Amino acid sequence: MQERLKELQTEALEKIAQAADLKELNDIRVSYLGKKGPITEVLKGMGKLTAEERPKMGALANEVRDAISSGIEEKHKQLEAAAVEAKLAGETIDVTLPGRPMKTGHRHPLTNVIEEIEDLFIGMGYTVEEGPEVEKDYYNFEALNLPKGHPARDMQDSFYITEEFLLRTHTSPVQARTMEKHKGKGPVKIICPGKVYRRDNDDATHSHQFMQIEGLVIDENIRMTDLKGTLQVFAKKMFGEDREIRLRPSFFPFTEPSVEMDISCKICSGKGCSVCKKTGWIEILGAGMVHPNVLEMAGFDSKKYTGFAFGMGPERIAMLKYGVDDIRHFYTNDVRFLQQFSIHE
Ligand code: FA5
């Protein structure tokens, strides 16, 4: 019995040493140490031993079990470590591989154009002002020499929210608000970019929501020639020396005299296309000398102070600058269109 137990120990330890993986090791554990294993089988013969021999044999059986268990435990550790090593070796990262390029976003072409215009005017000494998009009828119309019922209100079809409030139809109310803040004291030299809303039917050059940038200069001795010079500098810097501009007489209730400025169409080089409505020109801004009524309403002495104002459409400017043939491209968020402007970052 003693010898059989020793044999079993040697046999088991040999098998343990040869075990190739954790599963095989577990099978050895079950077959040698399980209830139906050979050690239990041998110990069934204990009944035949003397009272003296029995405890010795019991102790030996325990020693054999312990030796097999520790052998299994030791091998278990080795196999586990080998498995981790194999896994690590299989997952080695090649740090020399080139990285996968990530697609990054970029600024919207309109944001680029607006910032370019802002920078240009800031360079000429202007500061940037902002005003609310939900505006009082008073600032959108009345303070700009457009009392209730004035027929020129129809020039800008509006979205009213209540009788008193509407979505501003232009950025000119920021002029009125800024003049009021100055309490009759010049100079004022501001630009105001922002969104505006009109019940216009959308087409190649019209959108119901679009951007405007307003400009306002008030001081003593400001003349029409100052306005013309400013617009010429702006147009040349924005579109290049070779693009033509023209000023046409126009009408705005808040300026007198009033003009509109057109730029020669880049899409057809002035020959006439659907974007310029066959005229060869695209209107980009309205402007004029601030009407004395507007100055007086805001508390300025119109005998001492004069000023000019302009309001331009950055979408139209972006269309001319980049040769975009439909204003709706800026608002439909087609990435194929927008991606073309990533180089302007
Ligand atoms: C005005 O809105 C005046 N407030 C501009 C002004 C300011 C005149 C200060 C005098 C002094 P007008 O409605 O023409 O004017 O619009 C000005 C510019 O906004 C246009 O030249 C055009 O570039 C742009 N614009 C007008 N309507 C639309 C539209 N529906 N979609 C896109 N751009 C538009």
Side-chain angles (χ1 to χ4, degrees), residues 170 172 198 200 207 210 212 214 252 283-286 311 316:
H170 51 173
S172 300
R198 285 187 199 175
D200 278 349
S207 173
F210 58 103
Q212 276 194 343
E214 193 80 9
F252 297 104
E283 173 210 318
I284 60 157
L285 62 82
R316 303 253 179 106

Side-chain angles (χ1 to χ4, degrees), residues 144 155-156 169-173 175 196 198 200-203 205-215 250 252 254-255 258-261 282-290 308-317 327:
L144 297 169
M155 284 164 77
Q156 301 177 358
T169 54
H170 51 173
T171 41
S172 300
Q175 280 189 32
V196 301
R198 285 187 199 175
D200 278 349
N201 288 328
D202 290 1
D203 64 21
T205 51
H206 290 84
S207 173
H208 56 281
Q209 179 232 294
F210 58 103
M211 305 285 299
Q212 276 194 343
I213 300 182
E214 193 80 9
S250 185
F252 297 104
F254 30 94
T255 47
S258 304
V259 290
E260 276 179 322
M261 185 166 97
I282 296 185
E283 173 210 318
I284 60 157
L285 62 82
M289 299 305 291
V290 182
F308 66 74
F310 54 83
M312 62 178 81
E315 285 89 348
R316 303 253 179 106
I317 292 167
I327 195 169

Side-chain angles (χ1 to χ4, degrees), residues 136-176:
K136 280 188 166 169
D137 179 285
Y138 175 78
Y139 290 112
N140 197 79
F141 289 129
E142 279 187 52
L144 297 169
N145 205 25
L146 276 154
K148 285 206 166 77
H150 194 292
R153 284 190 175 211
D154 293 346
M155 284 164 77
Q156 301 177 358
D157 231 345
S158 332
F159 291 110
Y160 270 89
I161 293 167
T162 65
E163 277 211 2
E164 202 195 337
F165 286 97
L166 74 159
L167 294 179
R168 66 181 177 189
T169 54
H170 51 173
T171 41
S172 300
V174 190
Q175 280 189 32

Side-chain angles (χ1 to χ4, degrees), residues 66 99 118 155 173 191 200 218 227 300 304 331 335 339:
D66 287 349
E118 280 178 1
M155 284 164 77
I191 52 161
D200 278 349
I218 298 175
L227 169 63
F300 279 83
K304 183 175 173 197
Y331 292 112
V335 283
Q339 266 163 1

Side-chain angles (χ1 to χ4, degrees), residues 179-190:
M179 283 195 258
E180 204 179 73
K181 267 199 284 184
H182 274 255
K183 295 193 164 65
K185 277 206 153 186
V188 181
K189 204 170 178 188
I190 54 152

